C-alpha cells in the first residue's frame, strides 16, 4: 500500500511560496516563516492570492507534488500537476468505457447507491447510539427505497434525480446528528456559492479537500481524473474525481464536520458572517479545521473490501486502485466504499 505523506496547507493569505534547494519555503512580507523538504509532502494547498515562484512549481512537478490554489474562502481556483504518468493503455481503456453508456451507468449507479447507503448508515449509527428518533427513522426508510431505485434506473438523468432526493432526505434530518451546540449551528439544508451558514461552509471546504485528494490519487494510479462516468464532461472539470467523491462524502466529510461540532473543536466564534456574501471560516477557524483534518487522515481503519488496515487518508488511493482493477477486468465489479 502506498505510503501516506503530509499535505502542506498554507492558510495565511499573504504567504508567498518559493524554493531553496529541495525545500519549500513559506514567506510572509518577505520574511521566511516555515520550510519543509519537498520529499516529506505529497501536496500543497494554499488559501490566498500572493502566489508561488516558478522555481517551486518546477520543483513540485519534478517530485510529483500537486499544487492546489483555493480562495481565502476555500473555493477551488486551479490545480497544477506534473507530467501525466501511468499506463497509456489504461487511459485508453478508460476513455473507451466512458463512451459505453451501459458500463458507465452501472458504475455510476454503484457510486450513487454507495453514497445513499453511507447516508443511511450514518443515520442508523445515530439511532443505535442515541435511541430512536421518528424523523431520523423515517429518513432511513426513505433512503433504503431510494438506494434500491438508484440501482434500477435506466439513464443517468434519472439517477441524478434520485441522488438529489436522497440528499434532501438526509440533510433534512442532519441537525438531529448534532448532540452539542445545536442552537449555535442552525442548518436548514445544503446550500453553497456562497454557503449561508457555518455547517455549509465546513461541508463545502471538506468536499473540496476530498475532491482534491481523489484527483491526486487518480493521477497517481494512472487514470484521467477529468473523464468520468456520471458527471458530464466539461473543460477543467475533474469529472471522475467528482464521481468518486460521491461515495466518500458522508464518511470523510459529513462525519468529520459533525465530530468537530459535537466535540466543540469548532465554535461559532470561528466564523465570519458576511450577509449576502455568505459565511466563511476565520483564519484561526481554518487552521483548527485543517489541523483536525490532517490528524483525521492519519487515523487507521480496516478497509471493508481489502480487509487491510490503512490510514483514512489513503482511502481515495485504495478506491482509485480498485477502480483500475475493475477497468482492467481483474475484478468483476467496482467495490464502492461502504461504512458500517
Amino acid at each position: 500500500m502506498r505510503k501516506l505523506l503530509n499535505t502542506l496547507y498554507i492558510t495565511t493569505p499573504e504567504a508567498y511560496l518559493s524554493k531553496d534547494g529541495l525545500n519549500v519555503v513559506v514567506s510572509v512580507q518577505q520574511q521566511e516563516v516555515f520550510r519543509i523538504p519537498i520529499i516529506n509532502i505529497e501536496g500543497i494547498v494554499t488559501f490566498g492570492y500572493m502566489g508561488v515562484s516558478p522555481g517551486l512549481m518546477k520543483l513540485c512537478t519534478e517530485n510529483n507534488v500537486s499544487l492546489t490554489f483555493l480562495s481565502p474562502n476555500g473555493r477551488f481556483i486551479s490545480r497544477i500537476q506534473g507530467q501525466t504518468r501511468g499506463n497509456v493503455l489504461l487511459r485508453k481503456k478508460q476513455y473507451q468505457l466512458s463512451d459505453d453508456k451501459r458500463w458507465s451507468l452501472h458504475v455510476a449507479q454503484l457510486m450513487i447507491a454507495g453514497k445513499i447507503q453511507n447516508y443511511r448508515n450514518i443515520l442508523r449509527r445515530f439511532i443505535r447510539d442515541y435511541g430512536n428518533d421518528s424523523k431520523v427513522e423515517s429518513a432511513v426508510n426513505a433512503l433504503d427505497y431510494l438506494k434500491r431505485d438508484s440501482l434500477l434506473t435506466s439513464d443517468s438523468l434519472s439517477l441524478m434525480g434520485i441522488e438529489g432526493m436522497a440528499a434532501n432526505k438526509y440533510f433534512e434530518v442532519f441537525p438531529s446528528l448534532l448532540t452539542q451546540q445545536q442552537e449555535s449551528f442552525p442548518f436548514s439544508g445544503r446550500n453553497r456559492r456562497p454557503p449561508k451558514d457555518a455547517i455549509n461552509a465546513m461541508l463545502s471546504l471538506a468536499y473540496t479537500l476530498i475532491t482534491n485528494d481523489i484527483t491526486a490519487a487518480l493521477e497517481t494510479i494512472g487514470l484521467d481524473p477529468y473523464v468520468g462516468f456520471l458527471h458530464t464532461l466539461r473543460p477543467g472539470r475533474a469529472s471522475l474525481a467528482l464521481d468518486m467523491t460521491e461515495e466518500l462524502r458522508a464518511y470523510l466529510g459529513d462525519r468529520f464536520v459533525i465530530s468537530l461540532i459535537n466535540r466543540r473543536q469548532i465554535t461559532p466564534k470561528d466564523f465570519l458572517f458576511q450577509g449576502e456574501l455568505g459565511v466563511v471560516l476565520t483564519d484561526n477557524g481554518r487552521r483548527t479545521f485543517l489541523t483536525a483534518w490532517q490528524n483525521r487522515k492519519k487515523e487507521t481503519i480496516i478497509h471493508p473490501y481489502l480487509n487491510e488496515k490503512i490510514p483514512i487518508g489513503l482511502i481515495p488511493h485504495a478506491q482509485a486502485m480498485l477502480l483500475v482493477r475493475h477497468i482492467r477486468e481483474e475484478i468483476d465489479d467496482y467495490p464502492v466504499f461502504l461504512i458500517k
Side-chain angles (χ1 to χ4, degrees), residues 93-109 111 156 159-160 218 223-233 239-244 323-324 326-327 334:
K93 182 73 175 292
Q94 177 191 357
Y95 301 149
Q96 291 172 341
L97 291 174
S98 71
D99 290 329
D100 184 332
K101 292 184 178 180
R102 185 176 62 84
W103 195 96
S104 294
L105 177 62
H106 176 68
V107 171
Q109 286 174 314
M111 291 176 175
S156 59
L159 181 61
M160 292 299 287
L218 292 169
L223 290 172
D224 187 338
Y226 294 90
V227 179
F229 308 114
L230 175 62
H231 288 84
T232 55
L233 301 185
S239 296
L240 182 55
L242 292 173
D243 291 352
M244 297 186 67
L323 182 59
V324 166
H326 179 44
I327 289 173
Y334 170 61

mmCIF file of all heavy atoms in Angstrom, residues 93-109 111 156 159-160 218 223-233 239-244 323-324 326-327 334:
data_model
loop_
_atom_site.group_PDB
_atom_site.id
_atom_site.type_symbol
_atom_site.label_atom_id
_atom_site.label_comp_id
_atom_site.label_asym_id
_atom_site.label_seq_id
_atom_site.Cartn_x
_atom_site.Cartn_y
_atom_site.Cartn_z
ATOM 1 N N LYS A 93 -8.337 2.585 -22.301
ATOM 2 C CA LYS A 93 -9.473 1.751 -21.907
ATOM 3 C C LYS A 93 -10.499 2.584 -21.136
ATOM 4 O O LYS A 93 -11.719 2.425 -21.334
ATOM 5 C CB LYS A 93 -8.968 0.596 -21.045
ATOM 6 C CG LYS A 93 -10.046 -0.389 -20.605
ATOM 7 C CD LYS A 93 -10.503 -1.260 -21.763
ATOM 8 C CE LYS A 93 -11.493 -2.335 -21.318
ATOM 9 N NZ LYS A 93 -10.857 -3.363 -20.456
ATOM 10 N N GLN A 94 -10.028 3.478 -20.289
ATOM 11 C CA GLN A 94 -10.921 4.361 -19.551
ATOM 12 C C GLN A 94 -11.759 5.216 -20.500
ATOM 13 O O GLN A 94 -12.973 5.357 -20.322
ATOM 14 C CB GLN A 94 -10.113 5.279 -18.621
ATOM 15 C CG GLN A 94 -10.964 6.290 -17.872
ATOM 16 C CD GLN A 94 -10.110 7.341 -17.166
ATOM 17 O OE1 GLN A 94 -8.880 7.296 -17.187
ATOM 18 N NE2 GLN A 94 -10.762 8.313 -16.538
ATOM 19 N N TYR A 95 -11.125 5.774 -21.536
ATOM 20 C CA TYR A 95 -11.853 6.617 -22.491
ATOM 21 C C TYR A 95 -12.894 5.802 -23.255
ATOM 22 O O TYR A 95 -14.017 6.268 -23.496
ATOM 23 C CB TYR A 95 -10.879 7.272 -23.475
ATOM 24 C CG TYR A 95 -9.826 8.141 -22.822
ATOM 25 C CD1 TYR A 95 -8.560 8.279 -23.383
ATOM 26 C CD2 TYR A 95 -10.085 8.827 -21.639
ATOM 27 C CE1 TYR A 95 -7.591 9.073 -22.793
ATOM 28 C CE2 TYR A 95 -9.125 9.618 -21.042
ATOM 29 C CZ TYR A 95 -7.877 9.737 -21.615
ATOM 30 O OH TYR A 95 -6.917 10.525 -21.035
ATOM 31 N N GLN A 96 -12.536 4.572 -23.607
ATOM 32 C CA GLN A 96 -13.478 3.714 -24.322
ATOM 33 C C GLN A 96 -14.696 3.398 -23.448
ATOM 34 O O GLN A 96 -15.844 3.462 -23.914
ATOM 35 C CB GLN A 96 -12.782 2.414 -24.741
ATOM 36 C CG GLN A 96 -11.734 2.596 -25.830
ATOM 37 C CD GLN A 96 -10.924 1.322 -26.073
ATOM 38 O OE1 GLN A 96 -10.889 0.420 -25.236
ATOM 39 N NE2 GLN A 96 -10.261 1.263 -27.220
ATOM 40 N N LEU A 97 -14.453 3.094 -22.183
ATOM 41 C CA LEU A 97 -15.550 2.754 -21.279
ATOM 42 C C LEU A 97 -16.422 3.962 -20.959
ATOM 43 O O LEU A 97 -17.628 3.814 -20.724
ATOM 44 C CB LEU A 97 -14.996 2.148 -19.983
ATOM 45 C CG LEU A 97 -14.354 0.766 -20.130
ATOM 46 C CD1 LEU A 97 -13.712 0.334 -18.830
ATOM 47 C CD2 LEU A 97 -15.381 -0.270 -20.581
ATOM 48 N N SER A 98 -15.826 5.154 -20.950
ATOM 49 C CA SER A 98 -16.635 6.349 -20.686
ATOM 50 C C SER A 98 -17.645 6.591 -21.802
ATOM 51 O O SER A 98 -18.670 7.247 -21.580
ATOM 52 C CB SER A 98 -15.733 7.579 -20.529
ATOM 53 O OG SER A 98 -15.169 7.971 -21.767
ATOM 54 N N ASP A 99 -17.370 6.063 -22.997
ATOM 55 C CA ASP A 99 -18.308 6.176 -24.117
ATOM 56 C C ASP A 99 -19.326 5.034 -24.147
ATOM 57 O O ASP A 99 -20.261 5.059 -24.947
ATOM 58 C CB ASP A 99 -17.539 6.205 -25.451
ATOM 59 C CG ASP A 99 -16.767 7.499 -25.651
ATOM 60 O OD1 ASP A 99 -17.227 8.540 -25.143
ATOM 61 O OD2 ASP A 99 -15.710 7.468 -26.305
ATOM 62 N N ASP A 100 -19.116 4.047 -23.296
ATOM 63 C CA ASP A 100 -20.036 2.913 -23.198
ATOM 64 C C ASP A 100 -21.118 3.279 -22.179
ATOM 65 O O ASP A 100 -20.898 3.219 -20.960
ATOM 66 C CB ASP A 100 -19.268 1.667 -22.759
ATOM 67 C CG ASP A 100 -20.129 0.408 -22.729
ATOM 68 O OD1 ASP A 100 -21.355 0.528 -22.520
ATOM 69 O OD2 ASP A 100 -19.578 -0.691 -22.885
ATOM 70 N N LYS A 101 -22.294 3.664 -22.643
ATOM 71 C CA LYS A 101 -23.333 4.174 -21.752
ATOM 72 C C LYS A 101 -23.767 3.136 -20.727
ATOM 73 O O LYS A 101 -24.039 3.475 -19.567
ATOM 74 C CB LYS A 101 -24.533 4.656 -22.572
ATOM 75 C CG LYS A 101 -24.239 5.903 -23.402
ATOM 76 C CD LYS A 101 -25.491 6.398 -24.108
ATOM 77 C CE LYS A 101 -25.198 7.665 -24.894
ATOM 78 N NZ LYS A 101 -26.407 8.179 -25.590
ATOM 79 N N ARG A 102 -23.857 1.891 -21.117
ATOM 80 C CA ARG A 102 -24.301 0.860 -20.190
ATOM 81 C C ARG A 102 -23.271 0.645 -19.082
ATOM 82 O O ARG A 102 -23.622 0.573 -17.902
ATOM 83 C CB ARG A 102 -24.541 -0.454 -20.946
ATOM 84 C CG ARG A 102 -25.137 -1.569 -20.084
ATOM 85 C CD ARG A 102 -25.430 -2.807 -20.928
ATOM 86 N NE ARG A 102 -24.210 -3.354 -21.502
ATOM 87 C CZ ARG A 102 -23.391 -4.194 -20.852
ATOM 88 N NH1 ARG A 102 -23.670 -4.546 -19.605
ATOM 89 N NH2 ARG A 102 -22.319 -4.659 -21.434
ATOM 90 N N TRP A 103 -21.988 0.548 -19.448
ATOM 91 C CA TRP A 103 -20.927 0.346 -18.460
ATOM 92 C C TRP A 103 -20.837 1.559 -17.536
ATOM 93 O O TRP A 103 -20.749 1.421 -16.310
ATOM 94 C CB TRP A 103 -19.594 0.127 -19.176
ATOM 95 C CG TRP A 103 -18.502 -0.433 -18.308
ATOM 96 C CD1 TRP A 103 -18.145 -1.739 -18.180
ATOM 97 C CD2 TRP A 103 -17.616 0.311 -17.442
ATOM 98 N NE1 TRP A 103 -17.105 -1.864 -17.301
ATOM 99 C CE2 TRP A 103 -16.756 -0.624 -16.836
ATOM 100 C CE3 TRP A 103 -17.474 1.653 -17.135
ATOM 101 C CZ2 TRP A 103 -15.755 -0.249 -15.929
ATOM 102 C CZ3 TRP A 103 -16.485 2.040 -16.230
ATOM 103 C CH2 TRP A 103 -15.648 1.091 -15.645
ATOM 104 N N SER A 104 -20.875 2.759 -18.122
ATOM 105 C CA SER A 104 -20.767 3.986 -17.327
ATOM 106 C C SER A 104 -21.929 4.118 -16.349
ATOM 107 O O SER A 104 -21.742 4.494 -15.188
ATOM 108 C CB SER A 104 -20.723 5.208 -18.247
ATOM 109 O OG SER A 104 -19.547 5.224 -19.023
ATOM 110 N N LEU A 105 -23.137 3.814 -16.821
ATOM 111 C CA LEU A 105 -24.308 3.918 -15.949
ATOM 112 C C LEU A 105 -24.194 2.942 -14.785
ATOM 113 O O LEU A 105 -24.518 3.288 -13.639
ATOM 114 C CB LEU A 105 -25.592 3.649 -16.739
ATOM 115 C CG LEU A 105 -26.887 3.655 -15.910
ATOM 116 C CD1 LEU A 105 -27.123 5.028 -15.278
ATOM 117 C CD2 LEU A 105 -28.078 3.241 -16.775
ATOM 118 N N HIS A 106 -23.708 1.727 -15.053
ATOM 119 C CA HIS A 106 -23.593 0.733 -13.989
ATOM 120 C C HIS A 106 -22.638 1.204 -12.892
ATOM 121 O O HIS A 106 -22.955 1.122 -11.696
ATOM 122 C CB HIS A 106 -23.118 -0.597 -14.566
ATOM 123 C CG HIS A 106 -22.893 -1.646 -13.521
ATOM 124 N ND1 HIS A 106 -23.912 -2.214 -12.790
ATOM 125 C CD2 HIS A 106 -21.740 -2.211 -13.061
ATOM 126 C CE1 HIS A 106 -23.416 -3.090 -11.935
ATOM 127 N NE2 HIS A 106 -22.103 -3.097 -12.076
ATOM 128 N N VAL A 107 -21.469 1.713 -13.285
ATOM 129 C CA VAL A 107 -20.503 2.195 -12.292
ATOM 130 C C VAL A 107 -21.067 3.401 -11.548
ATOM 131 O O VAL A 107 -20.922 3.527 -10.324
ATOM 132 C CB VAL A 107 -19.162 2.533 -12.956
ATOM 133 C CG1 VAL A 107 -18.226 3.236 -11.986
ATOM 134 C CG2 VAL A 107 -18.501 1.263 -13.483
ATOM 135 N N ALA A 108 -21.740 4.292 -12.283
ATOM 136 C CA ALA A 108 -22.344 5.463 -11.648
ATOM 137 C C ALA A 108 -23.415 5.038 -10.644
ATOM 138 O O ALA A 108 -23.543 5.620 -9.556
ATOM 139 C CB ALA A 108 -22.945 6.382 -12.711
ATOM 140 N N GLN A 109 -24.205 4.017 -10.992
ATOM 141 C CA GLN A 109 -25.230 3.510 -10.071
ATOM 142 C C GLN A 109 -24.591 2.989 -8.788
ATOM 143 O O GLN A 109 -25.103 3.228 -7.685
ATOM 144 C CB GLN A 109 -26.028 2.389 -10.745
ATOM 145 C CG GLN A 109 -27.011 2.870 -11.801
ATOM 146 C CD GLN A 109 -27.663 1.707 -12.526
ATOM 147 O OE1 GLN A 109 -26.998 0.762 -12.943
ATOM 148 N NE2 GLN A 109 -28.976 1.769 -12.669
ATOM 149 N N MET A 111 -21.777 3.940 -7.439
ATOM 150 C CA MET A 111 -21.264 5.060 -6.651
ATOM 151 C C MET A 111 -22.390 5.802 -5.937
ATOM 152 O O MET A 111 -22.261 6.146 -4.756
ATOM 153 C CB MET A 111 -20.483 6.014 -7.555
ATOM 154 C CG MET A 111 -19.175 5.429 -8.064
ATOM 155 S SD MET A 111 -18.324 6.527 -9.220
ATOM 156 C CE MET A 111 -16.800 5.605 -9.493
ATOM 157 N N SER A 156 -28.735 8.150 -16.746
ATOM 158 C CA SER A 156 -28.004 8.940 -15.753
ATOM 159 C C SER A 156 -28.820 10.120 -15.238
ATOM 160 O O SER A 156 -28.647 10.535 -14.087
ATOM 161 C CB SER A 156 -26.686 9.438 -16.346
ATOM 162 O OG SER A 156 -26.912 10.234 -17.494
ATOM 163 N N LEU A 159 -30.898 8.902 -12.498
ATOM 164 C CA LEU A 159 -30.015 8.588 -11.378
ATOM 165 C C LEU A 159 -29.674 9.848 -10.590
ATOM 166 O O LEU A 159 -29.703 9.841 -9.354
ATOM 167 C CB LEU A 159 -28.743 7.919 -11.894
ATOM 168 C CG LEU A 159 -27.714 7.510 -10.843
ATOM 169 C CD1 LEU A 159 -28.311 6.501 -9.868
ATOM 170 C CD2 LEU A 159 -26.469 6.940 -11.518
ATOM 171 N N MET A 160 -29.376 10.932 -11.291
ATOM 172 C CA MET A 160 -29.063 12.185 -10.618
ATOM 173 C C MET A 160 -30.284 12.717 -9.866
ATOM 174 O O MET A 160 -30.154 13.315 -8.793
ATOM 175 C CB MET A 160 -28.562 13.214 -11.617
ATOM 176 C CG MET A 160 -27.199 12.877 -12.228
ATOM 177 S SD MET A 160 -25.879 12.778 -10.991
ATOM 178 C CE MET A 160 -25.662 14.519 -10.607
ATOM 179 N N LEU A 218 -6.107 9.635 -8.402
ATOM 180 C CA LEU A 218 -6.348 9.165 -9.772
ATOM 181 C C LEU A 218 -5.141 9.424 -10.659
ATOM 182 O O LEU A 218 -4.760 8.581 -11.482
ATOM 183 C CB LEU A 218 -7.599 9.841 -10.341
ATOM 184 C CG LEU A 218 -8.922 9.439 -9.680
ATOM 185 C CD1 LEU A 218 -10.042 10.371 -10.126
ATOM 186 C CD2 LEU A 218 -9.279 7.997 -10.003
ATOM 187 N N LEU A 223 -5.067 7.014 -13.889
ATOM 188 C CA LEU A 223 -6.325 7.343 -14.550
ATOM 189 C C LEU A 223 -6.416 8.840 -14.831
ATOM 190 O O LEU A 223 -5.720 9.646 -14.214
ATOM 191 C CB LEU A 223 -7.510 6.912 -13.682
ATOM 192 C CG LEU A 223 -7.740 5.412 -13.539
ATOM 193 C CD1 LEU A 223 -8.815 5.131 -12.489
ATOM 194 C CD2 LEU A 223 -8.128 4.789 -14.876
ATOM 195 N N ASP A 224 -7.277 9.197 -15.752
ATOM 196 C CA ASP A 224 -7.519 10.591 -16.085
ATOM 197 C C ASP A 224 -8.661 11.094 -15.209
ATOM 198 O O ASP A 224 -9.808 10.670 -15.382
ATOM 199 C CB ASP A 224 -7.894 10.724 -17.565
ATOM 200 C CG ASP A 224 -7.987 12.171 -18.023
ATOM 201 O OD1 ASP A 224 -8.180 13.055 -17.167
ATOM 202 O OD2 ASP A 224 -7.875 12.423 -19.236
ATOM 203 N N PRO A 225 -8.396 12.001 -14.262
ATOM 204 C CA PRO A 225 -9.458 12.453 -13.354
ATOM 205 C C PRO A 225 -10.529 13.288 -14.035
ATOM 206 O O PRO A 225 -11.578 13.549 -13.447
ATOM 207 C CB PRO A 225 -8.700 13.281 -12.312
ATOM 208 C CG PRO A 225 -7.466 13.723 -12.997
ATOM 209 C CD PRO A 225 -7.108 12.622 -13.945
ATOM 210 N N TYR A 226 -10.301 13.687 -15.304
ATOM 211 C CA TYR A 226 -11.249 14.565 -15.996
ATOM 212 C C TYR A 226 -12.249 13.808 -16.863
ATOM 213 O O TYR A 226 -13.144 14.411 -17.445
ATOM 214 C CB TYR A 226 -10.482 15.586 -16.842
ATOM 215 C CG TYR A 226 -9.687 16.536 -15.987
ATOM 216 C CD1 TYR A 226 -8.374 16.246 -15.630
ATOM 217 C CD2 TYR A 226 -10.255 17.698 -15.474
ATOM 218 C CE1 TYR A 226 -7.649 17.095 -14.802
ATOM 219 C CE2 TYR A 226 -9.543 18.557 -14.659
ATOM 220 C CZ TYR A 226 -8.243 18.243 -14.328
ATOM 221 O OH TYR A 226 -7.534 19.080 -13.496
ATOM 222 N N VAL A 227 -12.117 12.489 -16.939
ATOM 223 C CA VAL A 227 -13.026 11.688 -17.758
ATOM 224 C C VAL A 227 -13.765 10.717 -16.842
ATOM 225 O O VAL A 227 -13.212 9.701 -16.410
ATOM 226 C CB VAL A 227 -12.269 10.926 -18.863
ATOM 227 C CG1 VAL A 227 -13.235 10.082 -19.685
ATOM 228 C CG2 VAL A 227 -11.528 11.904 -19.763
ATOM 229 N N GLY A 228 -15.018 11.055 -16.537
ATOM 230 C CA GLY A 228 -15.787 10.260 -15.592
ATOM 231 C C GLY A 228 -16.912 9.490 -16.238
ATOM 232 O O GLY A 228 -17.025 9.415 -17.472
ATOM 233 N N PHE A 229 -17.781 8.949 -15.384
ATOM 234 C CA PHE A 229 -18.863 8.087 -15.846
ATOM 235 C C PHE A 229 -20.248 8.609 -15.449
ATOM 236 O O PHE A 229 -21.252 8.110 -15.926
ATOM 237 C CB PHE A 229 -18.667 6.681 -15.292
ATOM 238 C CG PHE A 229 -17.300 6.122 -15.552
ATOM 239 C CD1 PHE A 229 -16.426 5.865 -14.504
ATOM 240 C CD2 PHE A 229 -16.857 5.901 -16.843
ATOM 241 C CE1 PHE A 229 -15.157 5.367 -14.743
ATOM 242 C CE2 PHE A 229 -15.590 5.409 -17.100
ATOM 243 C CZ PHE A 229 -14.727 5.137 -16.042
ATOM 244 N N LEU A 230 -20.289 9.625 -14.589
ATOM 245 C CA LEU A 230 -21.561 10.191 -14.150
ATOM 246 C C LEU A 230 -21.635 11.683 -14.451
ATOM 247 O O LEU A 230 -22.521 12.122 -15.178
ATOM 248 C CB LEU A 230 -21.771 9.956 -12.650
ATOM 249 C CG LEU A 230 -23.014 10.613 -12.034
ATOM 250 C CD1 LEU A 230 -24.282 10.069 -12.682
ATOM 251 C CD2 LEU A 230 -23.046 10.402 -10.525
ATOM 252 N N HIS A 231 -20.725 12.456 -13.880
ATOM 253 C CA HIS A 231 -20.727 13.887 -14.126
ATOM 254 C C HIS A 231 -20.331 14.173 -15.575
ATOM 255 O O HIS A 231 -19.435 13.530 -16.126
ATOM 256 C CB HIS A 231 -19.748 14.598 -13.178
ATOM 257 C CG HIS A 231 -20.235 14.635 -11.758
ATOM 258 N ND1 HIS A 231 -20.051 13.579 -10.884
ATOM 259 C CD2 HIS A 231 -20.912 15.589 -11.069
ATOM 260 C CE1 HIS A 231 -20.579 13.898 -9.705
ATOM 261 N NE2 HIS A 231 -21.107 15.098 -9.794
ATOM 262 N N THR A 232 -21.020 15.125 -16.191
ATOM 263 C CA THR A 232 -20.788 15.432 -17.594
ATOM 264 C C THR A 232 -19.377 15.972 -17.802
ATOM 265 O O THR A 232 -18.798 16.601 -16.913
ATOM 266 C CB THR A 232 -21.802 16.468 -18.103
ATOM 267 O OG1 THR A 232 -21.749 17.631 -17.261
ATOM 268 C CG2 THR A 232 -23.210 15.892 -18.075
ATOM 269 N N LEU A 233 -18.854 15.700 -18.983
ATOM 270 C CA LEU A 233 -17.518 16.185 -19.319
ATOM 271 C C LEU A 233 -17.581 17.680 -19.601
ATOM 272 O O LEU A 233 -18.466 18.161 -20.294
ATOM 273 C CB LEU A 233 -16.975 15.443 -20.543
ATOM 274 C CG LEU A 233 -16.859 13.920 -20.423
ATOM 275 C CD1 LEU A 233 -16.194 13.352 -21.660
ATOM 276 C CD2 LEU A 233 -16.100 13.520 -19.171
ATOM 277 N N SER A 239 -14.222 15.341 -13.689
ATOM 278 C CA SER A 239 -15.483 14.595 -13.613
ATOM 279 C C SER A 239 -15.350 13.273 -12.864
ATOM 280 O O SER A 239 -16.224 12.913 -12.063
ATOM 281 C CB SER A 239 -16.027 14.345 -15.022
ATOM 282 O OG SER A 239 -16.356 15.557 -15.648
ATOM 283 N N LEU A 240 -14.279 12.522 -13.117
ATOM 284 C CA LEU A 240 -14.127 11.241 -12.433
ATOM 285 C C LEU A 240 -13.878 11.456 -10.940
ATOM 286 O O LEU A 240 -14.399 10.701 -10.103
ATOM 287 C CB LEU A 240 -12.984 10.432 -13.045
ATOM 288 C CG LEU A 240 -12.755 9.038 -12.445
ATOM 289 C CD1 LEU A 240 -14.024 8.207 -12.478
ATOM 290 C CD2 LEU A 240 -11.616 8.311 -13.157
ATOM 291 N N ALA A 241 -13.106 12.475 -10.595
ATOM 292 C CA ALA A 241 -12.887 12.787 -9.180
ATOM 293 C C ALA A 241 -14.206 13.149 -8.503
ATOM 294 O O ALA A 241 -14.474 12.734 -7.372
ATOM 295 C CB ALA A 241 -11.880 13.923 -9.039
ATOM 296 N N LEU A 242 -15.064 13.899 -9.191
ATOM 297 C CA LEU A 242 -16.369 14.247 -8.643
ATOM 298 C C LEU A 242 -17.243 13.007 -8.506
ATOM 299 O O LEU A 242 -18.002 12.874 -7.530
ATOM 300 C CB LEU A 242 -17.055 15.292 -9.534
ATOM 301 C CG LEU A 242 -16.413 16.674 -9.542
ATOM 302 C CD1 LEU A 242 -17.073 17.555 -10.596
ATOM 303 C CD2 LEU A 242 -16.506 17.333 -8.172
ATOM 304 N N ASP A 243 -17.166 12.094 -9.485
ATOM 305 C CA ASP A 243 -17.905 10.834 -9.377
ATOM 306 C C ASP A 243 -17.543 10.098 -8.089
ATOM 307 O O ASP A 243 -18.408 9.654 -7.328
ATOM 308 C CB ASP A 243 -17.579 9.916 -10.564
ATOM 309 C CG ASP A 243 -18.129 10.416 -11.890
ATOM 310 O OD1 ASP A 243 -18.890 11.397 -11.876
ATOM 311 O OD2 ASP A 243 -17.782 9.827 -12.927
ATOM 312 N N MET A 244 -16.237 9.958 -7.849
ATOM 313 C CA MET A 244 -15.774 9.165 -6.714
ATOM 314 C C MET A 244 -15.950 9.896 -5.389
ATOM 315 O O MET A 244 -16.019 9.265 -4.339
ATOM 316 C CB MET A 244 -14.311 8.757 -6.924
ATOM 317 C CG MET A 244 -14.110 7.867 -8.134
ATOM 318 S SD MET A 244 -12.421 7.245 -8.284
ATOM 319 C CE MET A 244 -12.338 6.169 -6.853
ATOM 320 N N LEU A 323 -10.818 0.785 -8.689
ATOM 321 C CA LEU A 323 -11.446 1.140 -9.958
ATOM 322 C C LEU A 323 -10.575 0.709 -11.127
ATOM 323 O O LEU A 323 -11.083 0.204 -12.146
ATOM 324 C CB LEU A 323 -11.710 2.647 -10.014
ATOM 325 C CG LEU A 323 -12.405 3.153 -11.281
ATOM 326 C CD1 LEU A 323 -13.764 2.476 -11.480
ATOM 327 C CD2 LEU A 323 -12.579 4.677 -11.230
ATOM 328 N N VAL A 324 -9.270 0.876 -11.004
ATOM 329 C CA VAL A 324 -8.346 0.415 -12.048
ATOM 330 C C VAL A 324 -8.478 -1.092 -12.238
ATOM 331 O O VAL A 324 -8.518 -1.595 -13.376
ATOM 332 C CB VAL A 324 -6.892 0.782 -11.689
ATOM 333 C CG1 VAL A 324 -5.913 0.021 -12.580
ATOM 334 C CG2 VAL A 324 -6.667 2.278 -11.863
ATOM 335 N N HIS A 326 -11.023 -2.926 -11.742
ATOM 336 C CA HIS A 326 -12.274 -3.223 -12.440
ATOM 337 C C HIS A 326 -12.166 -2.865 -13.917
ATOM 338 O O HIS A 326 -12.631 -3.621 -14.778
ATOM 339 C CB HIS A 326 -13.421 -2.456 -11.792
ATOM 340 C CG HIS A 326 -14.741 -2.672 -12.454
ATOM 341 N ND1 HIS A 326 -15.191 -3.915 -12.855
ATOM 342 C CD2 HIS A 326 -15.711 -1.790 -12.827
ATOM 343 C CE1 HIS A 326 -16.379 -3.805 -13.409
ATOM 344 N NE2 HIS A 326 -16.712 -2.520 -13.418
ATOM 345 N N ILE A 327 -11.568 -1.735 -14.216
ATOM 346 C CA ILE A 327 -11.394 -1.340 -15.616
ATOM 347 C C ILE A 327 -10.567 -2.373 -16.371
ATOM 348 O O ILE A 327 -10.846 -2.692 -17.530
ATOM 349 C CB ILE A 327 -10.738 0.058 -15.691
ATOM 350 C CG1 ILE A 327 -11.735 1.143 -15.238
ATOM 351 C CG2 ILE A 327 -10.232 0.368 -17.112
ATOM 352 C CD1 ILE A 327 -11.132 2.522 -15.118
ATOM 353 N N TYR A 334 -16.941 -2.892 -9.384
ATOM 354 C CA TYR A 334 -16.243 -1.883 -8.606
ATOM 355 C C TYR A 334 -16.788 -1.895 -7.172
ATOM 356 O O TYR A 334 -17.984 -1.609 -6.957
ATOM 357 C CB TYR A 334 -16.424 -0.505 -9.219
ATOM 358 C CG TYR A 334 -15.933 0.618 -8.325
ATOM 359 C CD1 TYR A 334 -14.597 0.678 -7.957
ATOM 360 C CD2 TYR A 334 -16.802 1.589 -7.839
ATOM 361 C CE1 TYR A 334 -14.133 1.668 -7.107
ATOM 362 C CE2 TYR A 334 -16.346 2.589 -7.000
ATOM 363 C CZ TYR A 334 -15.012 2.634 -6.645
ATOM 364 O OH TYR A 334 -14.559 3.612 -5.798
#
